[in-house]
């Protein structure tokens, strides 16, 4: 049975990735955009333009799906609070359907990535799944009983804002919490931890970078850890253990069969995940801790786009 | 429309409360039992006997519902891991239906209490609800989208085992975690905090009790706090703030409209809840923190029995 093509657009806080996806998950007519996202009209223009470009290359496009970095009222297709893009209150589905002349579906970007991983990636066949994206912040999504759990009107499911250290540092995000996962394991926290380790170990490659006056980033620390620098490895190990405490909360609450890890910090791979897995094995409740797999996203950078395309496909199928 | 009577049995770790409940929530033929719960056969005998006693007083009983202190596979009616009673693996629904000659429903006791509060108590009309019971341990239940969320085959939803202090004390329950809510706000933690405060304030009533060689319990600390003893009040306030951090996790994840608090520690009332509410207002995410109400269970000790009766009523209605 031939299925019509759909467009999936994964619109992150700083960049956009999209393409035309066919029934066999072949992606064609890829589009990329970078933006600063300061102006609402510009952001919508860029998204509409990118979808238009992808569509121009393909015939027979049935619908367009978007993943956007905002809380989304999925039933109404309205963007709610967003950290990254000025889309608060935008009737996104309606506006974009009007612009494109096609049916449009829209969801939170982490929800879209989770949908992609559930249908075609690391979470195939699982009913309870958590997805965490570790980047500048910590995003997350949750599937319960086989369906994406979108919270009450899109509010909640803030996996990055589980407090795990009651006296921890203030959360840098739009959050007045302390010791949230985001405050402890996102990029800036990795960078700060790397810097601290560097100051304590003047022979490390990290210390050499500091001495040269270079700013240490999370990506930097991850890279040097892969190169075997001990200070960088300690910073990543400690980050992994803190991540593990957050995973304990998730395991004890949801008993997921799989926790899918994505985002830039996943370049740390098992250097980051192994300490997290150890903490889960040590501290989480049985039997859930024995059943959960903690794995990297299989679709990697494309999970959001593929998931957004699945949203469009669901729209088409429901007609 | 007359509705037939049902029996609700709330079987806790040390005591049982049951009764015949009619369509107007009138409870008759109440039964009480205490037990030590060491032997599986004895526990089942006591429960069956209690249900039989309630039934003997009433005509026209249609079904029996049980809330039991165990993980329960609700769909199959099987008791899974239990802290308190030796019921692991018991096909409870089947065994009890055979014993009683009536249709039987069984669920976790906190789920039953939540059902009671949602239909007839503090959570009427709410779709996202958390219930926490603070006693010797910390139990919990969750409603998402208007229905009890029972986790995957009854595993998960361990609200008492959310870690909020990564270097906190080991959890005393069947849990290898540290700094779980249960380790920080259950009765033994309140007692330990009271003892610490007493040692630092020799003029306190708590210190006087210690000096007399009396063991300090959580109930004790709560009582003296109500009497205005400063050391006891500090212990309850600190407990409330720690509870509040756990509630931040719950609010950020589920954005409940209401969090219902039950269990023995709720004798602390607003002395306990006000500090928790303050922490939620300070630290949880908007808009969820502004929308959530943190309230005492309305049905108090009877929530579990009323909820168990509702389980029986649902069974009857589904026929």
């Amino acid at each position: 049975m031939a299925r019509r093509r759909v467009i999936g657009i994964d619109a992150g806080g700083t960049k956009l990735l999209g393409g035309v996806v066919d029934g066999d998950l072949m992606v064609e007519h890829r589009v990329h955009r970078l933006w600063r996202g300061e102006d609402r009209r510009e952001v919508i223009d860029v998204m509409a333009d990118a979808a238009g470009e992808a569509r121009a290359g393909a015939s027979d496009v049935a619908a367009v799906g978007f993943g956007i970095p905002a809380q989304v009222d999925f039933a109404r297709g309205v963007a709610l609070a967003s950290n990254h893009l000025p889309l608060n209150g935008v009737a996104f589905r309606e506006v974009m359907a009007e612009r494109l002349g096609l049916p449009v579906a829209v969801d939170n970007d982490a929800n879209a990535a989770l949908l992609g991983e559930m249908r075609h990636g690391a979470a195939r066949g699982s009913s309870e799944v958590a997805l965490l994206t570790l980047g500048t912040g910590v995003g997350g999504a949750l599937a319960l009983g086989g369906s994406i759990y979108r919270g009450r009107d899109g509010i909640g499911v803030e996996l990055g804002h589980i407090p795990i250290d009651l006296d921890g540092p203030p959360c840098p995000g739009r959050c007045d919490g302390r010791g949230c996962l985001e405050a402890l394991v996102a990029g800036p926290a990795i960078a700060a931890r790397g810097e601290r380790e560097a100051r304590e170990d003047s022979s490390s490659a990290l210390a050499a970078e500091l001495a040269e006056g270079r700013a240490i980033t999370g990506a930097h620390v991850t890279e040097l850890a892969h190169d075997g620098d001990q200070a960088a490895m300690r910073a990543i190990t400690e980050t992994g253990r803190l991540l593990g405490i957050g995973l304990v909360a998730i395991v004890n609450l949801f008993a997921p069969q799989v926790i899918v890890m994505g985002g830039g910090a996943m370049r740390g791979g098992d250097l980051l995940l192994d300490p997290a897995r150890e903490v889960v094995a040590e501290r989480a409740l049985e039997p859930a801790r024995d059943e959960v797999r903690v794995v990297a996203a299989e679709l990697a950078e494309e999970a959001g786009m593929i998931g957004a395309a699945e949203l469009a496909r669901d729209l088409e199928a429901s007609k």
Side-chain angles (χ1 to χ4, degrees), chain A:
Chain A
M1 184 182 80
R3 296 199 294 170
R4 292 176 70 194
R5 291 162 169 182
V6 293
I7 291 174
I9 303 278
D10 180 22
T14 57
K15 66 183 179 192
L16 174 153
L17 178 64
V20 177
V21 184
D22 74 11
D24 298 320
L25 283 194
M26 287 289 293
V27 182
E28 297 174 316
H29 310 292
R30 285 168 193 271
V31 290
H32 300 263
R33 294 286 189 283
L34 292 175
W35 63 36
R36 297 198 308 170
E38 281 167 12
D39 177 69
R40 171 178 298 190
R41 172 167 290 279
E42 180 208 332
V43 165
I44 291 174
D45 282 349
V46 169
M47 289 201 219
D49 182 65
E53 182 187 323
R55 184 188 189 185
S59 59
D60 197 29
V61 168
V64 186
F66 288 85
I68 64 174
Q71 290 180 350
V72 173
D73 182 333
F74 183 71
R76 295 193 303 131
V78 172
L80 306 173
S82 169
N83 255 337
H84 304 288
L85 292 180
L87 292 175
N88 298 18
V90 171
F92 189 94
R93 184 175 65 198
E94 213 168 284
V95 166
M96 203 53 86
E98 168 98 19
R99 287 282 290 263
L100 299 175
L102 281 174
V104 165
V106 60
D107 203 349
N108 168 268
D109 55 348
N111 285 349
L114 175 53
L115 190 64
E117 292 289 338
M118 287 184 75
R119 297 222 177 137
H120 305 292
R124 270 189 305 266
S126 294
S127 57
E128 324 293 310
V129 184
L131 174 130
L132 278 177
T133 56
L134 271 52
T136 313
V138 175
L142 203 57
L144 303 178
S147 304
I148 307 284
Y149 176 65
R150 295 192 169 86
R152 177 166 61 85
D153 306 330
I155 305 171
V157 202
E158 296 280 0
L159 303 184
H161 298 284
I162 301 175
I164 60 169
D165 182 4
L166 53 92
D167 295 317
C171 183
R174 58 165 190 92
C175 166
D176 300 313
R178 304 188 73 92
C180 300
L181 213 42
E182 179 159 312
L184 294 172
V185 306
I190 298 174
R193 203 165 286 125
E195 202 169 315
R196 208 157 48 235
E197 291 291 344
R199 291 190 196 287
E200 288 179 10
D201 180 356
S202 60
S203 70
S204 67
L206 267 181
E209 305 244 326
L210 259 192
E212 287 166 22
R214 285 206 254 167
I216 289 181
T217 65
H220 230 125
V221 178
T222 298
E223 196 180 310
L224 288 175
H226 274 298
D227 292 345
D229 182 59
Q230 294 296 313
M233 287 177 76
R234 283 193 299 274
I236 297 297
T237 299
E238 174 64 10
T239 303
R241 289 194 63 85
L242 293 166
L243 170 63
I245 313 253
L247 300 189
V248 168
I250 290 170
V251 168
N252 290 355
L253 287 171
F254 307 112
Q257 294 110 330
V258 57
I259 299 177
V260 181
M261 303 292 311
M266 274 308 298
R267 282 191 288 268
D270 286 341
L271 290 179
L272 184 73
L273 292 191
D274 278 343
R277 291 175 180 127
E278 278 166 27
V279 169
V280 169
E282 283 163 24
R283 295 197 181 190
L285 287 166
E286 295 177 308
R289 73 181 182 198
D290 304 320
E291 294 173 4
V292 67
R293 293 180 301 121
V294 179
V295 300
E298 252 180 49
L299 305 179
E301 305 266 298
E302 304 216 321
M305 177 179 65
I306 298 289
E310 290 294 322
L311 290 172
R313 209 172 283 294
D314 287 352
L315 202 64
E316 182 61 9
S318 70
K319 280 202 306 194

